[in-house]
Amino acid sequence: MFRKLVFPTSRAVKVAQKCVFRNASTTIRPRICIVGAGPAGFYTAQYILKHLDNSDIDIVEKLPVPFGLVRFGVAPDHPEVKNVINTFTKTAENPRVRFLGNLSLGKDFTLEELRERYHAVLLTYGADHDNTLNIPNENLQNVLSAREFVAWYNGLPGFENLNPDLSGKSLTLLGQGNVAVDVARIVLSGVDDLKKTDITEYALETLSQSRIETVHLVGRRGPLQAAFTIKELREMLKLSNCTTIWRSDDFDHVEESIPNLPRPRKRITELMVKSLAEQSPTKAPPVGRCFRPVFFRSPINIIGSGKVEAVEYVVNKLADGRAVPTEQRETIEADLVCRSIGYRAVSVDNHINFDARKGCVNNAGGRVLKRNLTGSDQTIDDIEDKYETGLYASGWLATGPTGVILTTMNNSFGVADLVCRDFASNTIRLNGSRPGLDLTGRTYVSWNGWKAIDSEEVRLGQAKGKPREKLTSIETMLQIASNASD
């Protein structure tokens, strides 16, 4: 819905206000703005609500809908991972929290404005740009990023018309992380299995007509350094009507290394070696779809005339765990290529102290660093006046795109704890109340507006036997939200 919100005067809030007035030093309520309604934003809010009494939190999001990568990044056939949305919903429905969707930092408001209108600001808007390979012909037709492909089948607004070309026989994924394996699994899965998920209807239609038979998953290092998790590998090995084919040469001396590996790495390596041992020794082409992991290869050239036809690789060897190129080359045919070599954040406001090379905010443990530090010849720990008071970053925007949702939770809880301690130590001074974001003339979506969108998606999904059918038109979302009541 679109109207200026005030914090509800529920009994719980009234009681808290009574407690406030018993102590004159705490009559001013800490007002905090969190920019980004993904996992980092919600985990940060959850911790602050529990540990900073009488604080009021605005969670501001550029899209009309919340949940970030949980909604748009988690694979549709992993509904159990999305259960965290229930926890995020409880946080958003706390009377001390406002959700303000459809508002963008750098477009609808500035960082300076936020810092003037809140006691503390936390930047948690994530990393939504791709790393690139910087090799010849990377911009050929049918060369995409895995992020774009995932955004397409998960219904992220702006990607509904991506229309990946699945008319060829082979897909190559450059990178071996979980995102790459997700794409492989979705492409190689039967459509009947996906029909029961919240994958978009247009993606289902395209996948139903896919002619992709082989997916290569290519990594620059070896099996002992593979970035995918054992859960993802198990799912690939159990995929119906799909054969996994390993290259035996990639596993030279791997089995003898297993006893000395840490337990998680040991388990996944044992699973790969077991799968290799069960592999048919015949050279006959497999019947049905095929998943082919390839190790020790780095792409150096994408080959094609008009659109991709193959990828040329340099063959690597390992030296101290690093991939070192040799003189050997290999070319593998490909009709579609998706690079999956990581995400990077971007700066959306000129006042953010941002490291473009690393693709994240300059921070120390979550506290954003000042641009110009005195004593620059010293280490960060030796500089006293180094932080932007009341300004923080958490999640991938602060750390880079590493780990899983649990990793983001732990990081966000840690940063939120810093915020609470900075208020407790009077580092952030409550020397006057702060008004919060001025919403005059701004079209935004409240939590009730999101609930109306959510209800419509669930209704559309039920008609198709799915949990929901995600809306991809922002205009439609805003229209539905505008009709919601307080």
Side-chain angles (χ1 to χ4, degrees):
M1 58 185 304
F2 313 134
R3 62 185 66 181
K4 190 164 184 175
L5 295 178
V6 294
F7 284 106
T9 54
S10 66
R11 182 177 181 277
V13 173
K14 288 179 180 176
V15 170
Q17 289 171 337
K18 288 177 183 176
C19 293
V20 163
F21 286 109
R22 290 175 187 168
N23 186 339
S25 65
T26 58
T27 54
I28 298 172
R29 299 169 64 92
R31 191 150 198 167
I32 299 163
C33 182
I34 296 174
V35 182
F42 272 104
Y43 281 129
T44 303
Q46 176 186 334
Y47 189 97
I48 292 173
L49 284 174
K50 184 176 180 180
H51 295 91
L52 186 61
D53 292 342
N54 303 323
S55 55
D56 293 323
I57 301 173
D58 287 349
I59 303 177
V60 184
E61 167 59 43
K62 68 177 180 180
L63 290 172
V65 295
F67 308 136
L69 276 180
V70 177
R71 176 180 167 95
F72 296 117
V74 173
D77 58 346
H78 285 173
E80 71 285 352
V81 180
K82 301 184 184 185
N83 288 337
V84 71
I85 285 176
N86 298 326
T87 301
F88 294 165
T89 296
K90 289 179 183 178
T91 296
E93 293 181 346
N94 187 296
R96 290 156 52 199
V97 174
R98 293 194 303 180
F99 171 75
L100 303 174
N102 198 52
L103 295 175
S104 297
L105 175 61
K107 178 183 174 184
D108 298 302
F109 51 87
T110 65
L111 181 59
E112 280 192 321
E113 182 180 355
L114 292 184
R115 298 189 70 187
E116 289 171 357
R117 304 184 75 88
Y118 294 88
H119 295 106
V121 175
L122 290 100
L123 303 175
T124 65
Y125 62 79
D128 61 358
H129 283 58
D130 304 301
N131 287 329
T132 55
L133 295 162
N134 297 317
I135 62 175
N137 302 315
E138 191 173 354
N139 294 321
L140 271 179
Q141 184 180 338
N142 283 17
V143 179
L144 308 172
S145 71
R147 180 190 67 85
E148 292 171 316
F149 198 94
V150 170
W152 168 73
Y153 66 61
N154 270 335
L156 179 63
F159 291 87
E160 60 271 26
N161 296 318
L162 183 69
N163 297 324
D165 182 1
L166 305 181
S167 63
K169 291 187 177 182
S170 65
L171 161 65
T172 292
L173 289 154
L174 302 174
Q176 293 183 328
N178 283 344
V179 174
V181 179
D182 281 345
V183 172
R185 189 180 63 257
I186 294 298
V187 170
L188 294 171
S189 291
V191 172
D192 286 343
D193 294 328
L194 295 175
K195 282 181 179 178
K196 305 167 189 175
T197 73
D198 66 356
I199 192 171
T200 54
E201 198 67 18
Y202 61 75
L204 269 179
E205 177 64 23
T206 300
L207 289 166
S208 71
Q209 299 174 31
S210 170
R211 297 177 61 192
I212 299 289
E213 296 176 353
T214 300
V215 174
H216 288 95
L217 186 81
V218 184
R220 71 183 188 275
R221 297 191 292 172
L224 295 177
Q225 293 79 32
F228 48 77
T229 61
I230 193 168
K231 176 180 182 293
E232 302 282 340
L233 178 58
R234 282 197 185 113
E235 289 175 332
M236 289 305 304
L237 296 178
K238 292 178 181 178
L239 208 58
S240 60
N241 301 315
C242 180
T243 304
T244 297
I245 298 181
W246 309 91
R247 293 182 171 189
S248 57
D249 289 349
D250 288 345
F251 287 82
D252 284 348
H253 307 296
V254 166
E255 190 168 3
E256 63 195 53
S257 302
I258 290 177
N260 299 320
L261 295 175
R263 187 169 183 272
R265 178 59 62 184
K266 180 178 181 180
R267 290 173 61 223
I268 192 170
T269 306
E270 287 174 336
L271 183 58
M272 285 189 279
V273 169
K274 179 175 181 288
S275 176
L276 172 64
E278 295 170 349
Q279 189 169 292
S280 172
T282 67
K283 299 295 183 180
V287 177
R289 294 175 172 177
C290 182
F291 175 57
R292 292 180 176 269
V294 180
F295 298 96
F296 302 110
R297 301 294 185 274
S298 292
I300 57 174
N301 185 26
I302 295 177
I303 301 168
S305 177
K307 68 175 186 177
V308 62
E309 298 170 9
V311 181
E312 181 184 6
Y313 301 91
V314 61
V315 179
N316 299 321
K317 64 179 180 180
L318 278 185
D320 297 325
R322 295 183 300 107
V324 178
T326 67
E327 297 299 318
Q328 192 177 348
R329 302 288 186 270
E330 180 182 7
T331 298
I332 302 176
E333 292 184 356
D335 298 301
L336 177 65
V337 171
C338 287
R339 63 179 180 270
S340 186
I341 54 171
Y343 302 161
R344 62 189 295 107
V346 296
S347 177
V348 296
D349 187 290
N350 291 333
H351 290 91
I352 296 175
N353 183 6
F354 193 82
D355 187 328
R357 185 180 60 85
K358 294 181 180 178
C360 58
V361 171
N362 279 313
N363 72 98
R367 293 186 176 103
V368 175
L369 295 167
K370 291 183 175 181
R371 267 205 175 98
N372 299 312
L373 296 175
T374 57
S376 58
D377 57 331
Q378 301 172 331
T379 64
I380 286 294
D381 291 339
D382 294 330
I383 302 172
E384 292 186 8
D385 185 21
K386 57 193 172 191
Y387 302 122
E388 292 282 4
T389 303
L391 184 60
Y392 307 82
S394 75
W396 285 3
L397 183 62
T399 65
T402 59
V404 293
I405 291 177
L406 179 62
T407 316
T408 297
M409 181 190 76
N410 290 331
N411 169 261
S412 298
F413 282 177
V415 175
D417 185 63
L418 287 180
V419 175
C420 295
R421 285 195 277 134
D422 284 352
F423 274 106
S425 66
N426 211 28
T427 299
I428 301 175
R429 297 181 180 277
L430 295 178
N431 53 6
S433 60
R434 300 292 173 90
L437 196 59
D438 182 4
L439 300 173
T440 305
R442 289 168 169 158
T443 301
Y444 69 96
V445 176
S446 70
W447 188 253
N448 279 345
W450 151 243
K451 287 168 68 175
I453 296 169
D454 178 48
S455 295
E456 177 63 8
E457 290 184 342
V458 170
R459 185 189 70 80
L460 292 171
Q462 286 175 341
K464 301 171 183 176
K466 301 168 62 178
R468 70 175 62 241
E469 181 61 38
K470 291 175 187 170
L471 299 172
T472 59
S473 166
I474 288 180
E475 183 179 357
T476 301
M477 292 179 188
L478 296 180
Q479 182 58 48
I480 293 169
S482 69
N483 295 326
S485 58
D486 263 339

